[in-house]
Amino acid sequence: MVYEQEPFNAEPPRTALAERLRTPLDTFYCRNHGPVPVLTPAEWRLSVDGMVERPLELSLDQLRHRFEEAEVAATLQCAGNRRADLVEVRDIPGEAPWGPGVTSSATFRGVRLADVLAAAGLTPEAAHIAFVAPDIAPAADPPQPYGGSIPVSKALQPEVLLAWAMNDRPLPRIHGAPLRVVVPGWIGARSVKWLTRVTAQATPSDNYFQATAYRILPAEADPGQAGPAEGISLGPIALNCAILRPDDNTHLPAGPTGITGYALAGEERTVARVDVSADGGDSWVQADLDRAASPWLWQHWRTILDLPPGEVEVAARAWDSTGALMPASPADLWNPKGYANNSWARIRLTCS
């Protein structure tokens, strides 16, 4: 589903994600806030500055040859994933009604951000690492290049990469070439694409997309009037799951039916259990759940339900390794930007 051509925003059909540990590049979701920039790899440079002892300016070749290459398999998820369920509760004007498909997984290759910061000599006063890209986002107030930040404590973890490859191929332009940040376990907004600057600083980024956007506001708030630091800043992904097959609003024969989906815990948690219901949550069966191949990757699950004739609501809920459970109702999570919906996943089927 393509929601916008400029900026380009699209998600794959949910069924295209089923049973795949890695998402093909032509299926991986796209979330952009401005036009995709055209950057020439030979002329591109990465600046590393701020609270560092040795500011750096690095070409792509210097990154490749100066630092040890690293790889991470990770699932990226947009903060607006499953917003469509919140829209059913109450309209969210001006925001794409994303389904469960703005979640995708890939193996990224590049260098560890921690190694680059060590070469620059990160000072003890630095508490946040800010990223800037050249894509101008007209929706920002005022219009500005896209940016964001993560705490130093996350930036220094070995899974956080500056990546130039994706699924053993050069990073596609639409996904951030020549270089992007990959912050596993955190919302996709922090994995900044088309990276040109890394700045160590004492406070979080004041960029619009860190300070004002990607925050959960109270239900009664007007997002058009919200200022910097209002609401809850989004960072680590919330425990979530989705039903991928069969598709929503499908007509099926009654009887035994395979149900499959993904579950994702976020940060360093894993999914411990997935329950599936054929009666809207009155009773549950435990699904077969793939082991966690990595703390940063989704886990797929599957079960067979005996579906009765008529209208059927199938629901799924996940538990993580801390014992946390997804909330039941999207009405309890509604917020005026439509972020972080991790209520029970539901699809409606007609069986005959």
Side-chain angles (χ1 to χ4, degrees):
M1 169 69 74
V2 175
Y3 295 98
E4 291 180 280
Q5 288 289 348
E6 188 67 57
F8 185 69
N9 286 297
E11 70 173 302
R14 68 174 73 209
T15 55
L17 300 176
E19 303 289 355
R20 283 176 156 166
L21 192 61
R22 296 197 306 178
T23 308
L25 298 188
D26 61 358
T27 306
F28 207 101
Y29 80 89
C30 291
R31 175 65 175 113
N32 299 303
H33 293 275
V36 175
V38 179
L39 303 175
T40 305
E43 299 175 354
W44 172 91
R45 294 294 184 272
L46 176 67
S47 298
V48 183
D49 58 17
M51 291 179 168
V52 297
E53 297 171 351
R54 297 173 294 277
L56 304 174
E57 185 169 292
L58 300 164
S59 68
L60 200 57
D61 281 344
Q62 287 172 323
L63 275 171
R64 289 175 178 271
H65 294 105
R66 182 170 174 179
F67 301 98
E68 179 184 11
E69 192 169 273
E71 194 171 81
V72 65
T75 299
L76 301 185
Q77 184 173 89
C78 178
N81 188 63
R82 299 184 55 215
R83 180 182 285 138
D85 297 341
L86 298 181
V87 172
E88 288 187 12
V89 175
R90 181 175 159 192
D91 192 25
I92 303 175
E95 299 291 344
W98 298 111
V102 277
T103 304
S104 300
S105 300
T107 299
F108 296 93
R109 189 169 68 251
V111 298
R112 295 181 185 90
L113 175 59
D115 292 346
V116 175
L117 293 173
L122 195 65
T123 67
E125 297 79 16
H128 299 268
I129 305 300
F131 311 115
V132 176
D135 53 318
I136 300 295
D141 185 18
Q144 59 193 264
Y146 187 87
S149 65
I150 58 175
V152 163
S153 57
K154 180 63 177 179
L156 296 182
Q157 296 304 307
E159 70 272 6
V160 180
L161 298 189
L162 305 181
W164 57 69
M166 184 179 180
N167 286 352
D168 301 318
R169 293 171 56 187
L171 189 66
R173 179 180 160 214
I174 193 69
H175 292 303
L179 194 77
R180 72 171 298 164
V181 188
V182 177
V183 186
W186 282 50
I187 61 168
R190 305 298 173 236
S191 291
V192 175
K193 297 185 282 189
W194 311 294
L195 184 68
T196 55
R197 183 175 297 275
V198 174
T199 301
Q201 53 194 55
T203 57
S205 169
D206 62 1
N207 185 276
Y208 172 83
F209 293 99
Q210 177 81 32
T212 303
Y214 290 107
R215 306 181 79 91
I216 294 183
L217 299 171
E220 67 277 7
D222 178 356
Q225 300 299 317
E230 292 187 31
I232 302 168
S233 180
L234 292 167
I237 294 170
L239 171 67
N240 214 330
C241 79
I243 300 168
L244 299 178
R245 189 182 292 150
D247 206 350
D248 193 22
N249 295 311
T250 299
H251 287 69
L252 297 171
T257 303
I259 312 291
T260 65
Y262 70 72
L264 178 64
E267 207 29 354
E268 296 188 15
R269 307 179 310 276
T270 55
V271 178
R273 192 174 100 198
V274 173
D275 302 327
V276 188
S277 171
D279 52 21
D282 289 339
S283 62
W284 299 89
V285 297
Q286 190 170 331
D288 294 324
L289 177 66
D290 289 349
R291 68 175 183 86
S294 155
W296 314 116
L297 272 175
W298 56 15
Q299 295 164 248
H300 286 273
W301 54 266
R302 63 204 57 80
T303 194
I304 296 176
L305 298 180
D306 190 12
L307 301 181
E311 302 298 314
V312 178
E313 181 182 84
V314 177
R317 64 185 188 186
W319 304 71
D320 73 15
S321 50
T322 71
L325 171 66
M326 293 167 57
S329 174
D332 295 333
L333 300 171
W334 192 93
N335 61 91
K337 295 287 285 183
Y339 292 141
N341 176 29
N342 71 329
S343 61
W344 296 352
R346 301 173 192 265
I347 59 170
R348 298 167 184 85
L349 305 172
T350 301
C351 300
S352 57

Coordinates of all heavy atoms in Angstrom, one line a residue, residues 105-153:
S105 N 12.4 -6.8 8.6 CA 13.7 -7.3 9.2 C 14.8 -7.4 8.1 O 14.4 -7.8 7.0 CB 13.5 -8.6 9.9 OG 12.5 -8.5 11.0
A106 N 16.0 -7.1 8.5 CA 17.1 -7.3 7.6 C 18.4 -7.5 8.3 O 18.5 -7.3 9.6 CB 17.2 -6.0 6.7
T107 N 19.4 -8.0 7.6 CA 20.7 -8.0 8.2 C 21.5 -6.8 7.6 O 21.6 -6.6 6.4 CB 21.5 -9.3 7.8 OG1 20.7 -10.4 8.3 CG2 22.9 -9.4 8.3
F108 N 22.0 -6.0 8.5 CA 22.7 -4.8 8.2 C 24.2 -4.9 8.4 O 24.6 -5.6 9.4 CB 22.2 -3.6 9.0 CG 20.7 -3.2 8.7 CD1 19.7 -3.8 9.5 CD2 20.4 -2.4 7.7 CE1 18.4 -3.5 9.3 CE2 19.0 -2.1 7.4 CZ 18.0 -2.6 8.2
R109 N 25.0 -4.4 7.6 CA 26.4 -4.4 7.7 C 27.0 -3.0 7.6 O 26.6 -2.2 6.8 CB 27.1 -5.4 6.6 CG 28.5 -5.7 6.9 CD 29.0 -6.8 6.0 NE 29.1 -6.4 4.6 CZ 28.3 -6.8 3.7 NH1 27.3 -7.7 4.0 NH2 28.4 -6.4 2.4
G110 N 28.0 -2.8 8.5 CA 28.7 -1.5 8.5 C 29.7 -1.5 9.6 O 30.5 -2.5 9.7
V111 N 29.8 -0.4 10.4 CA 30.7 -0.3 11.5 C 29.9 0.1 12.8 O 28.9 0.6 12.7 CB 31.8 0.7 11.2 CG1 32.7 0.3 10.0 CG2 31.3 2.1 11.0
R112 N 30.5 -0.3 13.9 CA 29.8 0.1 15.2 C 30.0 1.6 15.4 O 31.1 2.1 15.3 CB 30.4 -0.7 16.3 CG 30.2 -2.2 16.2 CD 30.8 -3.0 17.4 NE 30.7 -4.4 17.2 CZ 31.7 -5.2 16.6 NH1 32.8 -4.6 16.1 NH2 31.5 -6.4 16.5
L113 N 28.9 2.2 15.8 CA 28.9 3.6 16.2 C 29.9 3.8 17.3 O 30.6 4.8 17.4 CB 27.5 4.1 16.5 CG 27.4 5.5 17.1 CD1 27.9 6.5 16.1 CD2 25.9 5.8 17.5
A114 N 29.9 2.9 18.2 CA 30.8 3.0 19.4 C 32.3 3.1 19.0 O 33.0 3.8 19.6 CB 30.6 1.8 20.3
D115 N 32.7 2.4 17.9 CA 34.1 2.4 17.5 C 34.4 3.8 16.9 O 35.5 4.4 17.1 CB 34.3 1.4 16.4 CG 34.3 0.0 17.0 OD1 34.3 -0.2 18.2 OD2 34.2 -1.0 16.2
V116 N 33.4 4.4 16.1 CA 33.6 5.7 15.6 C 33.7 6.8 16.7 O 34.6 7.7 16.6 CB 32.5 6.0 14.6 CG1 32.6 7.5 14.0 CG2 32.5 5.1 13.4
L117 N 32.8 6.6 17.7 CA 32.9 7.6 18.8 C 34.2 7.5 19.6 O 34.7 8.4 20.1 CB 31.7 7.4 19.7 CG 30.3 7.7 19.1 CD1 29.2 7.3 20.0 CD2 30.2 9.2 18.7
A118 N 34.7 6.2 19.7 CA 35.9 6.0 20.4 C 37.1 6.7 19.7 O 38.0 7.3 20.3 CB 36.2 4.5 20.6
A119 N 37.1 6.6 18.3 CA 38.1 7.2 17.5 C 38.1 8.8 17.7 O 39.1 9.4 17.6 CB 38.0 6.8 16.1
A120 N 36.9 9.3 17.9 CA 36.7 10.7 18.0 C 37.0 11.2 19.4 O 37.2 12.4 19.7 CB 35.3 11.2 17.6
G121 N 37.1 10.3 20.4 CA 37.4 10.6 21.8 C 36.2 11.3 22.5 O 36.2 12.4 22.8
L122 N 35.1 10.5 22.7 CA 33.9 11.0 23.4 C 34.3 11.5 24.8 O 35.0 10.8 25.5 CB 32.9 9.8 23.5 CG 31.5 10.1 23.8 CD1 30.8 11.0 22.7 CD2 30.7 8.8 24.0
T123 N 33.8 12.7 25.1 CA 34.2 13.2 26.4 C 33.1 12.8 27.5 O 32.0 12.4 27.1 CB 34.2 14.8 26.4 OG1 32.8 15.2 26.2 CG2 35.1 15.3 25.3
P124 N 33.5 12.8 28.8 CA 32.6 12.3 29.8 C 31.3 13.1 29.9 O 30.3 12.6 30.4 CB 33.4 12.5 31.1 CG 34.9 12.5 30.6 CD 34.8 13.2 29.3
E125 N 31.3 14.4 29.4 CA 30.1 15.2 29.5 C 29.0 14.8 28.5 O 27.8 15.2 28.7 CB 30.5 16.7 29.3 CG 31.4 17.3 30.4 CD 32.9 16.9 30.1 OE1 33.2 16.4 29.0 OE2 33.7 17.1 31.1
A126 N 29.4 14.1 27.5 CA 28.4 13.7 26.5 C 27.4 12.7 27.0 O 27.8 11.7 27.6 CB 29.2 13.1 25.3
A127 N 26.1 13.0 26.8 CA 25.1 12.2 27.3 C 24.1 11.7 26.2 O 23.4 10.7 26.4 CB 24.2 12.9 28.4
H128 N 24.2 12.3 25.1 CA 23.3 12.0 23.9 C 24.1 12.1 22.6 O 25.0 12.9 22.5 CB 22.1 12.9 23.9 CG 21.2 12.8 25.1 ND1 20.2 11.9 25.2 CD2 21.3 13.5 26.3 CE1 19.6 12.1 26.4 NE2 20.3 13.0 27.1
I129 N 23.8 11.2 21.7 CA 24.4 11.3 20.4 C 23.3 11.6 19.4 O 22.3 10.9 19.2 CB 25.0 9.9 20.0 CG1 26.0 9.5 21.1 CG2 25.6 10.0 18.6 CD1 27.2 10.5 21.2
A130 N 23.5 12.8 18.7 CA 22.5 13.3 17.7 C 22.9 13.0 16.3 O 24.1 12.9 16.0 CB 22.3 14.8 17.9
F131 N 21.9 12.7 15.5 CA 22.1 12.4 14.1 C 21.4 13.4 13.2 O 20.2 13.8 13.5 CB 21.5 11.0 13.7 CG 22.0 9.9 14.7 CD1 21.1 9.2 15.5 CD2 23.3 9.5 14.8 CE1 21.5 8.2 16.4 CE2 23.8 8.6 15.7 CZ 22.8 7.9 16.5
V132 N 22.0 13.7 12.1 CA 21.3 14.7 11.1 C 21.5 14.1 9.7 O 22.5 13.5 9.4 CB 22.0 16.1 11.2 CG1 21.4 17.0 10.2 CG2 21.7 16.7 12.6
A133 N 20.4 14.3 8.9 CA 20.4 13.9 7.5 C 20.0 15.1 6.7 O 19.5 16.1 7.2 CB 19.4 12.7 7.3
P134 N 20.2 15.0 5.4 CA 20.0 16.2 4.6 C 18.5 16.3 4.0 O 18.2 17.3 3.3 CB 21.0 16.0 3.4 CG 21.1 14.6 3.3 CD 21.0 14.0 4.7
D135 N 17.7 15.3 4.3 CA 16.3 15.4 3.7 C 15.5 16.4 4.5 O 15.4 16.3 5.7 CB 15.7 14.0 3.7 CG 15.7 13.3 5.1 OD1 16.7 13.4 5.8 OD2 14.6 12.7 5.5
I136 N 15.0 17.4 3.7 CA 14.2 18.4 4.3 C 12.8 18.0 4.5 O 12.1 17.6 3.5 CB 14.3 19.7 3.5 CG1 15.7 20.2 3.3 CG2 13.4 20.8 4.1 CD1 16.4 20.6 4.6
A137 N 12.3 18.1 5.7 CA 10.9 17.7 6.0 C 10.0 18.9 6.1 O 10.1 19.6 7.1 CB 10.9 16.9 7.3
P138 N 9.2 19.1 5.1 CA 8.3 20.3 5.1 C 7.3 20.2 6.2 O 6.7 21.3 6.6 CB 7.6 20.3 3.7 CG 7.8 18.9 3.3 CD 9.0 18.4 3.9
A139 N 6.9 19.0 6.7 CA 5.9 18.9 7.8 C 6.5 19.4 9.1 O 5.7 19.7 10.1 CB 5.5 17.5 8.0
A140 N 7.8 19.6 9.3 CA 8.4 20.1 10.5 C 8.1 21.6 10.6 O 7.9 22.3 9.6 CB 9.9 19.8 10.5
D141 N 8.1 22.0 11.8 CA 7.9 23.4 12.1 C 9.0 24.0 13.0 O 9.1 23.7 14.2 CB 6.6 23.6 12.9 CG 6.2 25.0 13.1 OD1 6.7 25.9 12.4 OD2 5.3 25.3 14.0
P142 N 9.9 24.8 12.3 CA 10.0 25.2 10.9 C 10.5 24.0 10.1 O 11.1 23.1 10.6 CB 10.9 26.4 10.9 CG 11.9 26.0 12.0 CD 11.0 25.4 13.1
P143 N 10.3 24.0 8.7 CA 10.9 23.0 7.9 C 12.4 22.9 8.1 O 13.1 23.9 8.2 CB 10.6 23.5 6.4 CG 9.4 24.4 6.6 CD 9.5 25.0 7.9
Q144 N 12.9 21.7 8.2 CA 14.3 21.4 8.6 C 14.7 20.0 8.2 O 13.9 19.2 7.9 CB 14.4 21.6 10.1 CG 13.6 20.7 10.9 CD 13.5 21.0 12.4 OE1 14.2 20.5 13.2 NE2 12.6 22.0 12.7
P145 N 16.1 19.8 8.2 CA 16.5 18.5 7.9 C 16.1 17.5 9.0 O 15.9 17.9 10.1 CB 18.0 18.6 7.9 CG 18.3 20.1 7.6 CD 17.2 20.8 8.3
Y146 N 15.9 16.2 8.6 CA 15.5 15.2 9.6 C 16.6 15.0 10.6 O 17.8 14.9 10.2 CB 15.1 13.9 8.9 CG 14.5 12.9 9.8 CD1 13.2 13.0 10.1 CD2 15.3 12.0 10.5 CE1 12.6 12.1 11.0 CE2 14.8 11.1 11.4 CZ 13.4 11.1 11.6 OH 12.9 10.3 12.5
G147 N 16.3 14.7 11.8 CA 17.3 14.4 12.8 C 16.7 13.8 14.1 O 15.4 13.7 14.2
G148 N 17.5 13.3 15.0 CA 17.1 12.7 16.2 C 18.3 12.3 17.0 O 19.4 12.5 16.6
S149 N 18.1 11.7 18.2 CA 19.2 11.3 19.0 C 18.8 10.1 19.8 O 17.7 9.8 20.0 CB 19.6 12.5 19.9 OG 18.6 12.8 20.8
I150 N 19.9 9.5 20.4 CA 19.7 8.4 21.3 C 20.7 8.7 22.5 O 21.7 9.4 22.3 CB 20.0 7.0 20.7 CG1 21.4 7.0 20.1 CG2 19.0 6.7 19.7 CD1 21.8 5.6 19.6
P151 N 20.4 8.1 23.7 CA 21.3 8.3 24.8 C 22.7 7.6 24.5 O 22.8 6.6 23.8 CB 20.6 7.6 25.9 CG 19.2 7.5 25.6 CD 19.2 7.4 24.1
V152 N 23.7 8.2 25.1 CA 25.1 7.6 24.9 C 25.1 6.1 25.4 O 25.7 5.2 24.7 CB 26.1 8.4 25.7 CG1 27.4 7.6 25.9 CG2 26.4 9.7 25.0
S153 N 24.3 5.8 26.4 CA 24.3 4.4 26.9 C 23.8 3.4 25.8 O 24.3 2.3 25.8 CB 23.3 4.3 28.1 OG 22.0 4.8 27.8

